Amino acid sequence: MSGVALNEAQRKAVEHRGGPLLVLAGAGSGKTRVLTARLGHLVEHHQVPPHRILAVTFTNRAAQEMRRRVADLLGRDPTGLWIGTFHSLSARLLRREAQHLGFTSQFTIYDEDDRLGLIKRLLERAGHAPKAFPPQLIQRVISTAKNRLQTPDQLEIDAPDDRIIRVAAETYRQLTEALRAANAMDFDDLLLHPLTLFREHPERLAAWQDRFRSLLVDEFQDTNRAQYLLVSQLAVKHRELCAVGDDDQSIYGWRGADVRNMLDFQKDFSDTTMVRLEENYRSTQVILDAANGLISENTNRLGKTLFTARRGGEMVQRVALADERDEAEWVARELRERAAADHYAYGDMAVLYRTNSQSRAFEEAFRRVALPHRVVGAVSFYERREVKDLVAYLRLIANPKDDEAFLRAVQVPRRGIGLTTLATLQAAAAAWKRPLLDTATIADRVAELRPAAKEALGTFAALIARLGADAGEAAPARLLERVIQDIDYEAFLAAEGQEGVERMENVRELLAGAAEWSEEIDSEEPGFPLERFLASAALSSPAERHEGDPTGVSLMTVHTAKGLEWPIVVLAGMEDGLFPLSRSLDTTEGIEEERRLAYVGVTRSRDRLYVTWARARRRGGQLMPGMQSRFLDSLPPGIVQDRRSSGVFGSDYGVRRQAGPAWSAPVERQVAPEMESQVSPRYVKGERVSHRKFGAGTIRGLAGQGRDLRVMVEFDDSEIGTKQLLVAYAGLERDGEAV
């Protein structure tokens, strides 16, 4: 097309006419250019009216950008073009067809919070206790069933003996009736109702098939079953369906995306023409060789090999570090050196990781050296809901007069204490001029409260008193462990499904941070450990860190990074059990999606790529052995340079692959002291020990017992000096043996 520079493969995709087209668009291969040019070509050269084109993207921003580019190509706005996300285009169609489904065109769209609130009321009405049937879990089951095109009856048939499924199916029926009565649809309905319309009213399907002569679908690898059926049914008459995507970048299976839609496209449309876009305009050939080597291990793929005119390039740096803190500090130093020596801006750099919980170490390391950075796609670590929940408990233990901490903690987990109860309690506290926690201890004197509310408040106050009685010199990590256990917080999060599992990872990271803080404390600083830890946490989480410095290094998960690129990329935490995640290792589909995610991370880099892993990493406060990710074994050796930090354990500290799955058990030295005999001391003054970060030193004093056992170590390095360490978390070695 005139005005657009295209290579041979791109031009073939743009100008194709006469049947289904599958464009296998590799990373950085100019996919958006092809989509835009094809849209313009249909209008300008084939005289397809814009209102007879349906173009589907996965974000509203992408739709707006594509419309703008098409307008620039045509020299006019493509008036009438149907372009947008699946949900927005389906809603547009349903506004015109609502009466056929028993709705009016003014139907309301319920978001996730709206639907969750309705599900909670339906469960309460049916007498289902929220602890036995968590509303978030019921909502997730219903949503998954809808995305799989399952009716309530089909859902129930699949698992007739599962109480959760049975209640979910019952609630699903009631939800459908309630939404219809309210003239409302949820987000899943926006995809299901058009399919229902086409099935029950074939004349309406025929009308829409006639309306759209050409269909284009971007990010086709991310479609779910309902989305695939919707576009394939609309394309039956004219058979001009152009699907653009990359099966090697299908990374959203956990939210319903089905890579088989792309792999099976040629089976469903036997006359399909496939065009591979393999020339990459982003990365050096070295980086592409790494990506090609990595993804070639997958078997369920259509296959392609990326290449570029940018021959050669800097070798991939594979770096082994001592632990997550060593990893973060090494990355901070390296990025500062690259900025100074090679004149890269910090905004040209990104640190990518598998889970949001990994951001804490990098945020703190970057802050210590004043390295500009921003956390993208997630709130700052200490601003996350689950972290704030637990910190609220610690604040209340440390300061019983902290009313804001009380209001947060008392509602997590739910105790039957609602807003009405809290309003009554606050009124009594104000009248008596007492803090809320103090008032809760005498809630039985508040006449306006229900008996159940009085009991719940009294029980909560007793819990805080019990936890506070032992706070004193206790390590913050130990107090956190007790809070988590006493309120059964892990079960509370588990009720939220996959999101809760990810939140629990952040809880474990908070534990790790509290344990790490204990290694750095100054024994001469005034105040109890808990008070000083809370002060440290508060100073590390100002509100502006939600976004951070827009000119700084980007910190984000690999999922968030999809579609973005930087000259310098660090792919961090490349250990088995973390990347790939342990839960993915049970199935071929799981490990292949994790490998595709790693491929996405590698192909974000233009000039320099670092892959880092830690020989040990704290999980839930315990130091666990790490082994290099199996994905790194796929990197061609001729393009990789190995580097190591100067950690005291050396290169053999990590667990080798044949040792079994990572994170399966703590390092032996992490056996809890109270599980062993306390008759003889675990350490003696004058004993020599080694620490993975601080090196060798001599024990000068001991205090406490069990998991609160502390040792005072004078390290040989005079700049480190003497530190007080918690044995349960310090990971000390003695005489070459783990203790």
Side-chain angles (χ1 to χ4, degrees):
M1 182 177 178
S2 60
V4 180
L6 302 170
N7 63 36
E8 183 178 349
Q10 291 172 334
R11 185 173 299 280
K12 184 178 179 181
V14 167
E15 297 179 354
H16 172 80
R17 194 76 192 277
L21 173 66
L22 179 61
V23 180
L24 195 59
S29 63
K31 170 177 65 72
T32 303
R33 174 182 296 183
V34 168
L35 280 166
T36 303
R38 180 167 175 80
L39 275 170
H41 191 81
L42 289 170
V43 175
E44 187 175 272
H45 291 276
H46 295 286
Q47 287 73 53
V48 180
H51 72 274
R52 300 196 66 184
I53 300 175
L54 179 72
V56 186
T57 64
F58 266 76
T59 66
N60 290 315
R61 179 179 297 178
Q64 293 166 2
E65 175 63 15
M66 197 174 298
R67 177 184 286 274
R68 184 190 65 78
R69 291 194 185 191
V70 172
D72 289 344
L73 285 175
L74 297 175
R76 65 184 187 280
D77 185 70
T79 304
L81 173 66
W82 278 53
I83 184 168
T85 66
F86 272 103
H87 289 93
S88 66
L89 293 174
S90 294
R92 186 174 176 183
L93 182 151
L94 288 168
R95 296 290 181 194
R96 292 159 169 76
E97 303 286 357
Q99 70 278 7
H100 294 291
L101 296 168
F103 297 87
T104 74
S105 59
Q106 290 77 38
F107 64 82
T108 300
I109 299 175
Y110 278 16
D111 63 18
E112 292 297 294
D113 288 340
D114 296 328
R115 181 169 67 176
L116 181 59
L118 178 53
I119 287 174
K120 287 179 178 177
R121 290 192 292 276
L122 293 173
L123 290 169
E124 290 173 1
R125 189 183 306 163
H128 297 305
K131 284 190 176 181
F133 302 98
Q136 294 95 337
L137 180 58
I138 298 299
Q139 174 175 249
R140 187 176 298 275
V141 172
I142 293 173
S143 181
T144 300
K146 287 187 174 187
N147 284 324
R148 292 175 177 171
L149 306 181
Q150 289 180 302
T151 65
D153 289 344
Q154 291 168 331
L155 175 61
E156 199 165 24
I157 289 172
D158 283 352
D161 299 324
D162 190 315
R163 294 174 64 236
I164 291 290
I165 297 298
R166 191 166 62 249
V167 170
E170 170 194 329
T171 307
Y172 185 176
R173 294 187 189 94
Q174 296 170 350
L175 176 65
T176 301
E177 295 171 0
L179 287 169
R180 191 177 300 277
N183 193 36
M185 302 179 190
D186 62 27
F187 271 73
D188 296 325
D189 291 334
L190 295 179
L191 301 178
L192 285 181
H193 285 325
L195 295 174
T196 302
L197 172 75
F198 296 161
R199 183 178 64 252
E200 297 179 353
H201 300 275
E203 76 284 359
R204 300 313 306 151
L205 171 59
W208 287 103
Q209 287 173 336
D210 185 65
R211 165 69 179 269
F212 296 123
R213 276 182 53 187
S214 295
L215 295 90
L216 297 88
V217 184
D218 190 13
E219 303 289 2
F220 194 71
Q221 76 279 352
D222 294 331
T223 55
N224 61 31
R225 191 61 183 165
Q227 292 164 337
Y228 179 74
L229 288 177
L230 184 57
V231 295
S232 60
Q233 288 185 26
L234 287 173
V236 165
K237 181 174 182 178
H238 297 288
R239 301 186 65 76
E240 289 191 12
L241 172 59
C242 172
V244 181
D246 184 1
D247 57 324
D248 289 336
Q249 296 189 71
S250 180
I251 59 174
Y252 297 113
W254 51 275
R255 69 182 190 193
D258 192 344
V259 70
R260 291 175 299 178
N261 292 340
M262 191 158 196
L263 299 176
D264 294 343
F265 187 87
Q266 295 174 93
K267 297 178 184 178
D268 296 340
F269 295 90
S270 58
D271 55 338
T272 293
T273 297
M274 180 189 287
V275 176
R276 286 179 168 84
L277 304 182
E278 297 176 296
E279 184 171 1
N280 176 283
Y281 293 93
R282 173 189 300 158
S283 308
T284 66
Q285 189 61 52
V286 165
I287 292 171
L288 297 185
D289 288 344
N292 291 331
L294 173 65
I295 202 62
S296 66
E297 299 288 331
N298 275 8
T299 57
N300 295 315
R301 59 190 296 257
L302 295 170
K304 64 182 178 305
T305 302
L306 299 178
F307 67 92
T308 180
R310 298 185 64 194
R311 311 308 300 174
E314 297 283 342
M315 295 183 75
V316 175
Q317 304 293 298
R318 180 167 52 194
V319 192
L321 289 312
D323 58 13
E324 72 273 17
R325 182 165 182 175
D326 189 26
E327 177 183 49
E329 291 177 347
W330 186 92
V331 168
R333 290 194 302 271
E334 180 69 15
L335 295 185
R336 290 190 72 172
E337 289 177 10
R338 295 283 66 76
D342 302 327
H343 307 293
Y344 282 105
Y346 287 121
D348 291 336
M349 306 173 182
V351 178
L352 310 181
Y353 32 77
R354 179 62 182 85
T355 65
N356 276 315
S357 63
Q358 291 169 257
S359 75
R360 180 193 64 84
F362 290 103
E363 290 180 70
E364 294 183 354
F366 285 17
R367 189 177 61 255
R368 279 194 293 269
V369 297
L371 191 96
H373 63 281
R374 58 175 183 155
V375 181
V376 180
V379 296
S380 183
F381 181 81
Y382 286 101
E383 294 298 316
R384 291 168 187 161
R385 190 195 83 195
E386 58 278 11
V387 174
K388 291 175 72 69
D389 286 346
L390 294 174
V391 168
Y393 272 91
L394 296 184
R395 285 170 49 192
L396 194 56
I397 292 168
N399 178 16
K401 295 182 179 181
D402 189 336
D403 284 353
E404 290 302 314
F406 175 93
L407 288 171
R408 186 175 190 104
V410 78
Q411 297 183 80
V412 179
R414 293 291 183 182
R415 300 178 168 86
I417 300 173
L419 297 179
T420 301
T421 295
L422 288 177
T424 303
L425 186 73
Q426 286 176 291
W432 295 343
K433 294 184 170 59
R434 290 173 176 262
L436 288 174
L437 180 60
D438 194 3
T439 307
T441 62
I442 53 173
D444 58 324
R445 302 183 193 175
V446 183
E448 296 83 359
L449 289 174
R450 296 177 293 106
K454 292 179 180 180
E455 182 180 357
L457 287 167
T459 300
F460 174 76
L463 168 66
I464 299 301
R466 188 167 63 252
L467 291 168
D470 298 328
E473 293 291 341
R478 290 287 289 124
L479 283 173
L480 265 175
E481 286 178 339
R482 288 192 57 194
V483 170
I484 293 166
Q485 179 179 354
D486 286 3
I487 68 175
D488 205 5
Y489 195 63
E490 185 166 5
F492 171 69
L493 291 180
E496 300 181 11
Q498 181 58 43
E499 181 180 347
V501 172
E502 294 176 0
R503 290 188 184 280
M504 194 59 205
E505 285 297 311
N506 290 332
V507 170
R508 295 189 179 98
E509 188 64 19
L510 178 63
L511 267 170
E516 186 175 274
W517 176 88
S518 294
E519 295 181 354
E520 298 290 339
I521 58 176
D522 182 348
S523 59
E524 297 181 1
E525 186 179 340
F528 289 122
L530 177 59
E531 297 170 359
R532 286 144 56 198
F533 171 72
L534 289 171
S536 173
L539 290 172
S540 71
S541 57
E544 63 268 19
R545 287 178 63 224
H546 275 285
E547 295 183 0
D549 188 338
T551 65
V553 178
S554 295
L555 305 177
M556 68 182 76
T557 65
V558 184
H559 278 104
T560 304
K562 187 172 182 290
L564 303 175
E565 60 183 79
W566 297 267
I568 296 179
V569 167
V570 179
L571 197 53
M574 294 299 293
E575 299 129 42
D576 262 19
L578 182 57
F579 202 168
L581 288 176
S582 297
R583 62 176 179 266
S584 71
L585 303 179
D586 295 334
T587 65
T588 299
E589 293 80 5
I591 193 66
E592 291 208 348
E593 178 153 327
E594 288 287 300
R595 189 177 283 110
R596 292 193 293 267
L597 186 60
Y599 172 83
V600 167
V602 169
T603 54
R604 298 311 93 198
S605 176
R606 296 209 300 259
D607 302 336
R608 292 173 181 259
L609 174 66
Y610 298 85
V611 288
T612 64
W613 67 283
R615 297 188 292 270
R617 191 177 294 270
R618 283 189 177 87
R619 305 278 287 189
Q622 292 185 323
L623 196 67
M624 312 292 280
M627 64 176 115
Q628 176 180 286
S629 170
R630 64 193 64 195
F631 295 158
L632 300 188
D633 296 340
S634 303
L635 301 180
I639 64 167
V640 177
Q641 179 180 4
D642 282 302
R643 298 169 65 178
R644 288 181 173 83
S645 72
S646 56
V648 298
F649 294 137
S651 61
D652 291 332
Y653 179 67
V655 179
R656 301 186 186 279
R657 177 113 27 239
Q658 59 266 33
W663 317 128
S664 59
V667 179
E668 278 194 278
R669 64 175 167 277
Q670 288 298 318
V671 173
E674 66 263 28
M675 296 176 65
E676 302 181 4
S677 172
Q678 297 295 319
V679 176
S680 59
R682 296 273 291 138
Y683 298 95
V684 295
K685 289 183 179 180
E687 186 174 5
R688 295 285 292 173
V689 293
S690 288
H691 185 276
R692 71 193 180 288
K693 286 287 292 179
F694 306 138
T698 303
I699 293 179
R700 297 304 185 193
L702 301 94
Q705 61 182 358
R707 289 183 65 80
D708 292 320
L709 177 64
R710 301 187 301 278
V711 291
M712 191 76 70
V713 180
E714 180 184 352
F715 288 98
D716 297 348
D717 188 332
S718 60
E719 292 186 3
I720 295 175
T722 300
K723 290 188 177 294
Q724 182 175 255
L725 307 176
L726 274 167
V727 172
Y729 304 106
L732 295 174
E733 287 199 346
R734 178 177 56 194
D735 296 331
E737 298 291 334
V739 296

